[in-house]
Amino acid sequence: MTVLHHPRLRAVIYARYSTDKQRQESIGDQIELCRRYAVQQGWEVVDTYTDAAISGASRHRPGFLKLVDDAGRRRFDVVVSEAVDRLGRRLADTSDLYDRLSFYNVKLYTPHVGEITTIHVAIMGMMAQVQLKEIGQKTRRSHLGLAKEGRIPGGKAYGYDIVDGDKAGGGYRRINADEAAVVHRIFTLYADGMSPRAIARLLNDENVPGPRGRKWVDTTIRGQVARGTGILNNANYAGVLEWGRCEFVKDPGTGKRVARINPQAKREIVEVPELRIIDDVLWNRVKARQEAVATEIGRDEQGNALNRVHRRRFLLSGVLVCGVCGVCGVCGVCGGRYTIMGKDRYGCAGHRNSGTSPNDRTISRQAIEGRVLAGLKERLLGADVVAAFIEEMVVAQRRDQAEARNRRGDQERALAGIDRKIASILEAVENGMYSPALKERLSALEAERAALAAEIGTLATEAPEMLLPANLPELYRRKIAELESVLGDGDEGMAAMEMIRSMVDRVVLSPCPSGAGLKAQLHGDLLAILEACAEADPRRTNAPALSNRGVKCRWLRGQDLNLRPS
């Protein structure tokens, strides 16, 4: 007699806690609870997914997104989590996850409930979302109570200390004399005509520590007037507590918080004379200058509002960094980026905005873009790079073919499982066990079967073999030589530019030790840049593809380029 051995189900664990105020050990506690449950069920735990100090109000969580992605890759059979609200606190998110897992034939379990069904998701997901809203309302109500009593319902602002032995509920502050003197000086300098950038440089030159001991930057001083941020906009300094100026709502599409300015009727304004640092005369002088400056810089030479025109985006916008620290350009004494200082000219923002960097060298946009593109072409035309690229194309093709076979096999097994369930229901109906629930279940299975069959129909038995032309090295070199030409005008050129930008990690600019000019070092994924350019060229519709999806050339990835000094 043949004995069938059923493979153990592969289980994964998901754990999450919401804020940095919770115990870090909470993750470990959840994992241990779920691990013991999986062992009791005879499952093999193959992986864990975690999101620490991240709210469940959004699905945009690294661990959660990886869990969903790996489920689609059929890397496990069961998901175990402490509770449904660990997976998410929005009904739409948990319902979407459940539908995806069901489609992939992945079961969801919690130690206290067991297998999670549609009813569980509907009830528990709704309760989690209601609880999330209630927590927000209670937090806001608590903050309102503090504000009405003249207590600060937020963090400690520069110029104040938390009162020792603070009473229950918190929010008590007292003036820090040394910091208050700096605040008064900032207000006076600005009212007298000095810009926030010049004030920041002055304070840094005098080694005056900024908020939390950091260096001063112009944005710390000027902030945003509408939102009440920045030194110059903190009404506490004028002896007024203004709570509720803006509120934050989470964009469900991106998961990011978006600030919305509240009308005056929704704000709570309380006099706090014990916190006054600035008198009304100085405060009003600052407000008057802010209004005048906003009017002056908000128009171009023709009087048009500047915010009606989108800023131009260049090839290297956001990736040029200052390398004065000698390591990576984003840490150390400067930490500044190279930004546009004038017409098509880049300079160090750390030097300009706060004086924290001695790097006063500038470079034209055309010069640095030309050097980066020339450096890419020179490096990528090396014989060793060409050979490595072609070799990786062959390896990737074989891997894609194997993955295609595995995907089709998984789908066919899932389809067979659905057919068995449908057959069982039909058999039950024939035996007189018809019910509305069975009919509903049968309709759902038939719809799932149709969707799965359609998906299988789109899958090839294996990825088609890519015929590599004999002149492939020549075609490769031609693509690299034309790297700059794909960055022309039009939608295709913009698309190519965006792809290249996404593949360049950073370009570090440092003063040449031997004299004038800047040396540049490119950090990025050179192979990905090549793939982006080759695929984006709209004029090569008949040329053989030089790359296929999934190429992972480890030898090229992360290589750096030392570009020629200007």
Side-chain angles (χ1 to χ4, degrees):
M1 181 177 67
T2 303
V3 179
L4 297 178
H5 296 280
H6 297 284
R8 297 173 64 190
L9 293 179
R10 300 165 298 168
V12 296
I13 296 170
Y14 179 81
R16 176 189 65 82
Y17 68 88
S18 298
T19 71
D20 54 10
K21 296 180 181 179
Q22 293 179 265
R23 295 169 56 248
Q24 174 67 39
E25 292 78 5
S26 172
I27 289 284
D29 295 342
Q30 294 177 45
I31 292 175
E32 180 60 19
L33 175 66
C34 295
R35 186 195 65 79
R36 293 188 180 189
Y37 179 78
V39 170
Q40 291 174 357
Q41 305 305 313
W43 302 331
E44 177 188 4
V45 178
V46 296
D47 206 349
T48 59
Y49 302 84
T50 62
D51 286 306
I54 301 179
S55 171
S58 168
R59 72 176 67 190
H60 299 276
R61 292 166 267 145
F64 180 84
L65 294 178
K66 190 173 189 305
L67 169 73
V68 174
D69 183 61
D70 287 350
R73 299 174 185 272
R74 308 300 197 276
R75 292 182 175 174
F76 48 81
D77 310 299
V78 177
V79 175
V80 184
S81 187
E82 181 190 36
V84 171
D85 61 7
R86 293 300 91 197
L87 292 162
R89 285 192 172 273
R90 292 181 67 249
L91 178 58
D93 293 342
T94 53
S95 178
D96 178 71
L97 172 65
Y98 181 79
D99 289 344
R100 289 174 181 268
L101 294 180
S102 298
F103 179 75
Y104 300 138
N105 286 328
V106 176
K107 302 293 185 181
L108 177 60
Y109 286 81
T110 67
H112 301 297
V113 177
E115 183 176 357
I116 299 300
T117 65
T118 304
I119 297 298
H120 291 115
V121 170
I123 295 176
M124 295 180 178
M126 180 177 62
M127 292 176 60
Q129 184 162 338
V130 170
Q131 184 182 26
L132 178 67
K133 187 172 183 179
E134 288 180 347
I135 290 173
Q137 292 174 340
K138 290 178 180 178
T139 301
R140 183 175 178 84
R141 185 182 65 205
S142 172
H143 287 176
L144 174 60
L146 291 175
K148 293 178 68 174
E149 296 178 8
R151 293 189 280 168
I152 308 296
K156 183 180 75 67
Y158 185 82
Y160 302 102
D161 291 327
I162 297 175
V163 175
D164 294 335
D166 199 352
K167 298 179 181 179
Y172 293 99
R173 302 288 185 269
R174 65 183 175 197
I175 295 176
N176 180 306
D178 293 336
E179 293 182 355
V182 177
V183 170
H184 194 280
R185 185 183 180 195
I186 290 173
F187 272 76
T188 302
L189 291 172
Y190 182 80
D192 290 342
M194 186 176 288
S195 69
R197 183 175 299 147
I199 296 172
R201 294 179 64 108
L202 176 64
L203 296 176
N204 289 327
D205 289 342
E206 297 176 357
N207 294 320
V208 176
R212 290 179 292 279
R214 299 174 182 172
K215 293 287 185 179
W216 290 95
V217 293
D218 57 338
T219 52
T220 303
I221 295 172
R222 71 168 183 263
Q224 296 185 31
V225 177
R227 291 175 54 183
T229 60
I231 296 291
L232 296 175
N233 304 307
N234 189 342
N236 293 169
Y237 299 143
V240 177
L241 170 58
E242 185 176 14
W243 175 82
R245 176 185 284 267
C246 66
E247 61 181 330
F248 291 89
V249 294
K250 190 159 290 186
D251 184 340
T254 63
K256 296 181 179 180
R257 297 201 314 161
V258 178
R260 290 181 178 172
I261 308 300
N262 284 328
Q264 197 71 24
K266 294 186 66 174
R267 305 178 190 180
E268 189 71 23
I269 300 177
V270 179
E271 297 289 335
V272 283
E274 68 276 10
L275 298 183
R276 179 184 287 273
I277 296 175
I278 305 299
D279 58 47
D280 290 337
V281 174
L282 182 54
W283 175 267
N284 292 332
R285 286 180 61 203
V286 166
K287 296 296 113 179
R289 180 160 186 250
Q290 283 180 324
E291 184 176 351
V293 170
T295 302
E296 178 183 346
I297 68 174
R299 303 276 172 179
D300 61 16
E301 295 177 355
Q302 288 72 40
N304 300 317
L306 293 178
N307 59 2
R308 295 179 186 171
V309 182
H310 293 290
R311 291 182 178 180
R312 291 180 295 170
R313 296 220 29 212
F314 302 128
L315 176 64
L316 301 178
S317 296
V319 300
L320 298 177
V321 295
C322 179
V324 292
C325 67
V327 180
C328 66
V330 291
C331 64
V333 66
C334 173
R337 291 189 176 273
Y338 260 69
T339 58
I340 290 291
M341 299 295 181
K343 180 176 174 55
D344 289 346
R345 197 157 192 88
Y346 286 104
C348 175
H351 176 79
R352 181 190 185 196
N353 295 340
S354 60
T356 54
S357 170
N359 186 3
D360 60 354
R361 308 285 175 84
T362 63
I363 188 171
S364 71
R365 177 179 65 84
Q366 294 81 0
I368 187 58
E369 288 180 1
R371 287 169 62 186
V372 169
L373 291 172
L376 285 175
K377 288 190 287 188
E378 179 181 352
R379 180 68 181 87
L380 290 172
L381 284 174
D384 52 353
V385 177
V386 176
F389 178 76
I390 295 175
E391 180 182 354
E392 285 294 329
M393 289 177 66
V394 176
V395 173
Q397 177 180 281
R398 294 171 181 168
R399 181 174 58 250
D400 287 347
Q401 290 175 335
E403 290 179 354
R405 289 192 295 268
N406 292 336
R407 284 196 301 271
R408 187 178 182 87
D410 290 342
Q411 300 289 52
E412 290 175 345
R413 284 189 290 274
L415 186 63
I418 293 176
D419 287 338
R420 288 193 295 271
K421 293 178 183 178
I422 292 176
S424 298
I425 293 177
L426 293 177
E427 182 180 356
V429 172
E430 291 175 352
N431 293 333
M433 299 176 62
Y434 173 81
S435 69
L438 277 179
K439 179 182 178 181
E440 182 179 349
R441 178 59 176 160
L442 180 61
S443 298
L445 286 173
E446 289 177 340
E448 185 177 345
R449 188 191 189 285
L452 192 56
E455 184 177 346
I456 291 176
T458 63
L459 294 176
T461 303
E462 61 181 35
E465 183 175 0
M466 181 173 58
L467 299 177
L468 302 180
N471 64 338
L472 181 59
E474 178 184 346
L475 292 174
Y476 172 96
R477 293 186 177 93
R478 186 190 307 166
K479 288 289 184 180
I480 301 304
E482 296 168 351
L483 177 63
E484 198 166 356
S485 66
V486 300
L487 298 175
D489 296 330
D491 294 339
E492 294 85 358
M494 289 298 296
M497 182 181 75
E498 288 301 319
M499 283 188 286
I500 293 178
R501 279 174 44 84
S502 68
M503 303 306 174
V504 176
D505 183 17
R506 64 186 183 275
V507 179
V508 181
L509 300 175
S510 306
C512 291
S514 59
L518 287 163
K519 63 177 183 178
Q521 186 178 52
L522 170 66
H523 300 253
D525 187 342
L526 306 186
L527 179 62
I529 296 172
L530 167 65
E531 290 177 328
C533 294
E535 294 172 0
D537 190 342
R539 299 164 300 167
R540 293 293 183 265
T541 55
N542 298 322
L546 293 183
S547 62
N548 66 321
R549 190 171 182 176
V551 173
K552 304 292 183 184
C553 187
R554 298 184 184 88
W555 188 81
L556 287 175
R557 197 166 299 278
Q559 296 292 307
D560 301 333
L561 283 178
N562 283 304
L563 307 179
R564 292 189 180 91
S566 58

